[in-house]
Amino acid sequence: MTSGPGFLSRRSLLAGAAAFVAAATAGRQTAAADEPRIVSLDYGLANTAMALGVTPVGIAAADGWDRFVQEPPLPDSVVDLGMDRLINMERLAALEPDLILATPYTQALRSRLSEIAPVLSLTLYAPDGEPLDRSYAATRELGERIDRVDAARAYLAEADATFAACRERIAAAAPGPVVLVHMIDPRHARVYGAHALFQNVLDRIGLENGWPHPTNYWGFQTVGVEKLAEADPESTIVVVRPFYEDEIEPILARSQLWNRLPAIAAGRTITLPAVLAYGAVPSAVRFAELITDAMTTVNR
Amino acid sequence: MTTPIALRLPVIAALLFGPAAALTLIALGPELMRLGAPAGTGFDVDRLVLLYADLPRLATALLAGAGLGLSGVILQQVMRNPLASPTTLGLSAGAELALSIATLFAPGLLVFGRDLLALVGSALAGLAVFAIGARRNFAPVAIVLAGLIVSLYCKSLSTILILLHDRYLMSLFIWGSGSLHQQDWSIPLDLLPRLGLLAIAAALLIRPLGLLTLSDAQARSLGLKIALVRWGGVAIALALAAVITSSVGVIGFIGLVAPTVARLAGARRLGAQFVWAPVIGAGLLWLTDAVVSLAAGPLATFLPTGAVTALFGTPLLLLLLPRLKASDRREPLPSAPRPPNTARPPVVLGTVAVGLAVLFALAVMLGRGVDGGWVIASGDALSTVLPWRIPRVLAAIAAGAMLAVAGTILQRLTSNEMVSPEVIGVSAGATMGLGIALFVTAAPTLTVLLGSATLGAGLVLVAILAMGRKSGFAPERIVLTGIALLALLDAFIGLVSASGDPRALQLLSWMAGTTYGMDLSTALISLALMLVLAGATCLTARWLDIMPLGRSAARAIGVATSRVQAVMLLIAVALTAAGTLVVGPLSFVGLMAPHLARELGLRRALPQVVGAAIAGAAIMIVADFFGRNAGFPYELPAGLLSTLVGAPFLLLLLRRRQ
């Protein structure tokens, strides 16, 4: 069922080893080019640093990047630091980073991490505030910290422009509301709404969310598939990968309930490539572009 | 009660079905009314959900509840044990573990059918329970204890497997917590024929099973093939539990409660129990599910029915436990004569201590280099890795030794070799404290986490002492209460993890147990605490020599048993709390280390305590070593690995002794 490289697979170990050797040699050389050595314990922050032109030398759970983030592809030189809650400290220390990017989620590790390098803890998700606003703030703060203030400003302006362009295309196509789901299994789904990064994007590009129910502080709600029937009947069901495993699709294709959902029955369903649901500005931009492309061509 | 029996059972059933039907009608009534009317031309949401979600869900609840009730009644009759059930014998958890492993590591196996895999899993879990129970002459308390331990073991293993693959396997969380959500009729329609066939088979066994209440000799004189009937009954009960688990996940405690309620309501004869237990089981699950469906709306959260039944079931188990008193607690068979003890404790202890020192050196020096290759560190390289390795290895030693000493105390106090520090509830208390801290503070620091875990353990301790005072600190009650607490914790975790809350993963990663993140000062404090508490235990070794002889014998020698038990319990709880803070609540080191010490020939209390401490420390060092290196750069939790390291040893030793 797991598609990416296995947790303990020899391949990933060898790849990691090779990557490390490459990083140890190449990384040191580019250090001369004034590039700070950053490691990130969070995909979203790593993604942000890359958008500002600094590729981290190491990130947590690098083996899941292709499955969950996809864009931009992670260079082979990036060293895998292990699970985000159980970072491999010896390997992290050996990378001799100048800065460790973390979220409050790994707060318990803070004291040990700061023995290795200064820790910049940036909050993307919190009970108050919206993740996209926080991601903008985090981008600026990171820009200041790594001396990429102009790059941060430029990147955020570019993001604003992308959202605005998407907004125009959406307004022209008037595609109706969407319901954003991750399929957990054939009987259960996560639906995204208020406080989700996805929702912030919908607001920015002028797409309406057809999901009528409240969501938790990460912006999702876990529901039985039958609940999808309560969505606005004009909605398009948007299945966001990953979590749309091979065996789910055929079961849904046979399901009487699924096939009679108004959106499915009317053919209003699209499947998007993986977008990091708990990411930062780069994920928001990627999501905006993907959903705008899909929704402006969907059959109405 | 003078109500005629024939009346009471229908009354009970009505008390379950009435409210369930009422709740269902409130929810579905309007749509049900309109069902007769011709369908509208357009899309009708309510009708759609009623036909393809609500009604199949109702049917599934009724079928699963009835099946579990039947499974429970058969098990209780076969085992002559009023606490036997798919939950308390570990059958459901075994099925879950087998399916989790298959999903994760060998999806190809799923082509053989989920039912078959579930059956294999529950059969293995059942075998483990019976094997342990056989050593205690199938005493009901021992069986239930073994069952719950195997169940928790399976549950924790599957939880940890999910944890390690969390990003992929949210689905297993939900299924493990037992969700009855449906999106068409396929699940109830699959269940119906399977359960029907098994029910017919069970019906054919009613008469011979009924004769099992006679003594074995009497039954045999009536021409009954006892073994055949027993195994037939067990097979049907296993199959019922496996089929239900594979289609909707783990639904706890229905199989325990339904037959008990049926009996309490007057179903004396087995035939009546066979009818009423499934009826009551169906009613119970329907009622629970109706409440869950209704509550899920306003709570705006996802509630898996199985976790909720466990939440209800645990207090019921606690209520039922006293009914098992004296009459059901058969004495264990006198153990087989042991070979004379030729080992000289000082020699043995010296040898294992040297072994520990070697392990320590290896664990500190040998490791994976940053590029993933194996490296024996020395000189400069050593000084760069030491700050990361030393605290962890010291913490592993402290935690392993503390849990081992706690285990030795508890096993001697209860004369029960299946008791371990995990099962007295202190670790569950610590975990719940940690969980609360995670859920009320946005970004808890390590200090906050440890503080709240200590507080949780302390509260359980106070509860144990308060309750224990009444029973004269009877160890069995304390252990069973602790297990009930663990089951409650399990239900709680099932609830939060099924909703997809990321904080549940943090809780789980702590539960998986790890020396990860230890700094030197914390490790040294743990080590000092271990030395003080283990030292105190050594001073009281005489009591530990006497207590296994039994309370009356101890009293005759002039030991104030209640006070001694309270003191020893206090030490054990302190050791457990401190050890749990380091490696999490599910390490099982405390179960295995005392056995290892005894098998090394350390029979008397003092040498056994010291030997167990060394063995526990060694197991944890090895576990931590593998945890750091096996999946490099991915860390594996030492607590989980200690189970994998120690369990094979334990099994080997248990086999050898028979």
Side-chain angles (χ1 to χ4, degrees), chain A residues 92-112:
Chain A
L92 176 57
L95 282 179
E96 297 178 20
D98 304 322
L99 182 66
I100 299 172
L101 300 183
T103 60
Y105 195 52
T106 44
Q107 183 67 26
L109 301 178
R110 183 76 183 261
S111 69
R112 293 242 77 186

Side-chain angles (χ1 to χ4, degrees), chain A residues 243-265:
Chain A
F243 307 117
Y244 192 48
E245 308 299 345
D246 297 343
E247 71 268 23
I248 294 183
E249 223 170 332
I251 297 178
L252 285 180
R254 284 196 306 270
S255 162
Q256 286 153 326
L257 179 74
W258 179 259
N259 287 314
R260 288 175 201 210
L261 289 172
I264 309 294

Side-chain angles (χ1 to χ4, degrees), chain B residues 434-495:
Chain B
L434 189 93
I436 291 168
L438 277 176
F439 280 85
V440 298
T441 46
T445 60
L446 191 61
T447 325
V448 170
L449 291 179
L450 288 184
S452 48
T454 314
L455 196 68
L459 285 178
V460 170
L461 163 66
V462 171
I464 288 176
L465 290 180
M467 283 190 301
R469 195 184 292 277
K470 267 191 220 148
S471 63
F473 295 100
E476 305 88 348
R477 291 295 303 282
I478 286 162
V479 166
L480 286 168
T481 311
I483 285 189
L485 272 176
L486 264 183
L488 200 62
L489 170 70
D490 208 62
F492 168 72
I493 288 173
L495 279 177

Side-chain angles (χ1 to χ4, degrees), chain A residues 209-222:
Chain A
N209 194 334
W211 183 244
H213 298 295
T215 46
N216 67 12
Y217 101 53
W218 285 272
F220 70 84
Q221 189 188 11
T222 304

Side-chain angles (χ1 to χ4, degrees), chain A:
Chain A
M1 160 160 191
T2 60
S3 57
F7 191 91
L8 295 176
S9 82
R10 230 165 65 89
R11 203 161 62 103
S12 68
L13 286 182
L14 290 175
F20 181 79
V21 176
T25 48
R28 272 302 169 202
Q29 282 156 10
T30 51
D34 188 30
E35 189 153 301
R37 293 175 64 78
I38 301 183
V39 297
S40 177
L41 310 190
D42 179 83
Y43 285 159
L45 296 177
N47 219 342
T48 305
M50 287 160 88
L52 303 187
V54 180
T55 301
V57 289
I59 69 166
D63 71 345
W65 185 276
D66 283 348
R67 183 170 154 85
F68 294 97
V69 190
Q70 290 186 352
E71 284 296 324
L74 203 61
D76 288 343
S77 62
V78 179
V79 175
D80 194 344
L81 295 172
M83 216 189 310
D84 53 356
R85 291 174 306 276
L86 301 171
I87 296 295
N88 191 308
M89 291 288 191
E90 285 181 32
R91 197 174 226 192
L92 176 57
L95 282 179
E96 297 178 20
D98 304 322
L99 182 66
I100 299 172
L101 300 183
T103 60
Y105 195 52
T106 44
Q107 183 67 26
L109 301 178
R110 183 76 183 261
S111 69
R112 293 242 77 186
L113 289 173
S114 49
E115 291 171 33
I116 299 175
V119 180
L120 177 59
S121 179
L122 296 169
T123 308
L124 300 178
Y125 281 81
D128 55 328
E130 296 296 329
L132 188 55
D133 296 340
R134 289 178 174 278
S135 301
Y136 267 68
T139 308
R140 288 189 203 101
E141 201 174 335
L142 180 62
E144 278 171 30
R145 188 63 177 265
I146 58 174
D147 215 16
R148 295 286 189 283
V149 178
D150 293 340
R153 195 176 299 130
Y155 179 69
L156 292 181
E158 193 188 313
D160 284 337
T162 306
F163 291 137
C166 289
R167 192 178 180 92
E168 272 177 33
R169 293 169 61 199
I170 293 285
V178 291
V179 177
L180 307 173
V181 297
H182 270 156
M183 294 304 299
I184 295 175
D185 67 20
R187 293 192 284 146
H188 303 88
R190 269 186 188 185
V191 189
Y192 288 86
H195 307 303
L197 185 71
F198 290 165
Q199 179 64 47
N200 296 158
V201 172
L202 295 188
D203 294 342
R204 290 290 297 265
I205 65 176
L207 260 178
E208 194 192 331
N209 194 334
W211 183 244
H213 298 295
T215 46
N216 67 12
Y217 101 53
W218 285 272
F220 70 84
Q221 189 188 11
T222 304
V223 297
V225 164
E226 81 280 358
K227 272 267 195 185
L228 294 178
E230 294 173 20
D232 184 335
E234 295 301 310
S235 303
T236 299
I237 291 183
V238 180
V239 179
V240 186
R241 291 180 191 270
F243 307 117
Y244 192 48
E245 308 299 345
D246 297 343
E247 71 268 23
I248 294 183
E249 223 170 332
I251 297 178
L252 285 180
R254 284 196 306 270
S255 162
Q256 286 153 326
L257 179 74
W258 179 259
N259 287 314
R260 288 175 201 210
L261 289 172
I264 309 294
R268 284 197 307 274
T269 173
I270 54 178
T271 307
L272 292 187
V275 184
L276 188 62
Y278 312 103
V281 181
S283 305
V285 170
R286 173 174 162 82
F287 179 66
E289 288 175 329
L290 285 171
I291 199 168
T292 304
D293 286 350
M295 290 301 290
T296 47
T297 53
V298 74
N299 279 341
R300 300 275 316 168

Side-chain angles (χ1 to χ4, degrees), chain B residues 4-74:
Chain B
I5 286 162
L7 251 184
R8 263 202 285 163
L9 279 162
V11 168
I12 295 277
L15 282 177
L16 292 170
F17 281 91
L23 289 175
T24 305
L25 272 180
I26 291 172
L28 309 181
E31 286 80 53
L32 278 171
M33 296 296 204
R34 283 192 291 146
L35 206 54
T41 43
F43 165 73
D44 186 344
V45 181
D46 296 334
R47 188 191 185 95
L48 179 68
V49 171
L50 177 73
L51 282 179
Y52 297 113
D54 292 333
L55 290 181
R57 177 169 174 169
L58 173 60
T60 308
L62 290 173
L63 285 171
L68 288 169
L70 183 58
S71 176
V73 101
I74 297 173

Side-chain angles (χ1 to χ4, degrees), chain B residues 182-558:
Chain B
Q182 306 297 327
Q183 37 115 325
D184 59 19
W185 285 89
S186 56
I187 287 181
L189 287 182
D190 278 353
L191 269 177
L192 187 64
R194 290 164 208 214
L195 295 185
L197 282 178
L198 288 166
I200 292 169
L204 295 177
L205 274 183
I206 290 184
R207 267 183 51 82
L209 276 173
L211 295 176
L212 285 181
T213 28
L214 305 173
S215 78
D216 286 4
Q218 279 173 313
R220 220 171 274 126
S221 71
L222 288 173
L224 188 64
K225 292 207 168 56
I226 296 177
L228 191 70
V229 173
R230 280 218 173 107
W231 285 112
V234 166
I236 293 173
L238 265 174
L240 282 167
V243 164
I244 293 167
T245 307
S246 85
S247 47
V248 294
V250 180
I251 309 269
F253 291 99
I254 298 285
L256 170 68
V257 176
T260 312
V261 171
R263 258 197 314 277
L264 285 176
R268 296 264 156 69
R269 298 170 52 89
L270 192 62
Q273 290 175 17
F274 265 60
V275 173
W276 285 104
V279 169
I280 290 171
L284 267 173
L285 194 54
W286 183 13
L287 182 59
T288 314
D289 195 47
V291 173
V292 165
S293 317
L294 221 59
L299 290 178
T301 186
F302 175 76
L303 294 176
T305 308
V308 176
T309 58
L311 226 47
F312 290 145
T314 310
L316 276 169
L317 178 64
L318 277 177
L319 280 177
L320 291 174
L321 285 175
R323 288 164 35 85
L324 261 190
K325 278 241 181 87
S327 61
D328 288 317
R329 198 183 301 137
R330 268 173 273 174
E331 282 302 304
L333 289 178
S335 45
R338 287 173 177 167
N341 191 354
T342 49
R344 298 222 319 278
V347 178
V348 175
L349 286 177
T351 316
V352 288
V354 170
L356 184 69
V358 172
L359 277 182
F360 178 85
L362 273 178
V364 170
M365 289 168 63
L366 185 63
R368 303 283 282 268
V370 280
D371 58 352
W374 287 95
V375 177
I376 292 181
S378 60
D380 268 0
L382 191 61
S383 62
T384 52
V385 295
L386 279 190
W388 305 110
R389 291 183 190 167
I390 286 277
R392 298 185 61 163
V393 175
L394 290 183
I397 291 176
M402 285 194 279
L403 292 173
V405 173
T408 314
I409 295 175
L410 291 170
Q411 289 183 10
R412 284 192 160 257
L413 225 50
T414 56
S415 310
N416 186 334
E417 60 191 0
M418 285 314 293
V419 170
S420 76
E422 288 82 11
V423 304
I424 58 176
V426 172
S427 6
T431 313
M432 287 195 211
L434 189 93
I436 291 168
L438 277 176
F439 280 85
V440 298
T441 46
T445 60
L446 191 61
T447 325
V448 170
L449 291 179
L450 288 184
S452 48
T454 314
L455 196 68
L459 285 178
V460 170
L461 163 66
V462 171
I464 288 176
L465 290 180
M467 283 190 301
R469 195 184 292 277
K470 267 191 220 148
S471 63
F473 295 100
E476 305 88 348
R477 291 295 303 282
I478 286 162
V479 166
L480 286 168
T481 311
I483 285 189
L485 272 176
L486 264 183
L488 200 62
L489 170 70
D490 208 62
F492 168 72
I493 288 173
L495 279 177
V496 290
S497 42
S499 76
D501 196 311
R503 288 170 294 193
L505 286 173
Q506 250 173 307
L507 193 57
L508 285 173
S509 61
W510 184 74
M511 279 186 71
T514 175
T515 52
Y516 182 82
M518 272 291 144
D519 56 24
L520 192 59
S521 56
T522 318
L524 287 176
I525 292 171
S526 321
L527 209 57
L529 206 58
M530 182 273 280
L531 290 174
V532 169
L533 290 171
T537 311
C538 290
L539 292 180
T540 55
R542 200 181 75 91
W543 290 347
L544 287 182
D545 273 325
I546 295 169
M547 293 311 287
L549 303 177
R551 235 170 289 179
S552 40
R555 228 173 270 128
I557 309 174

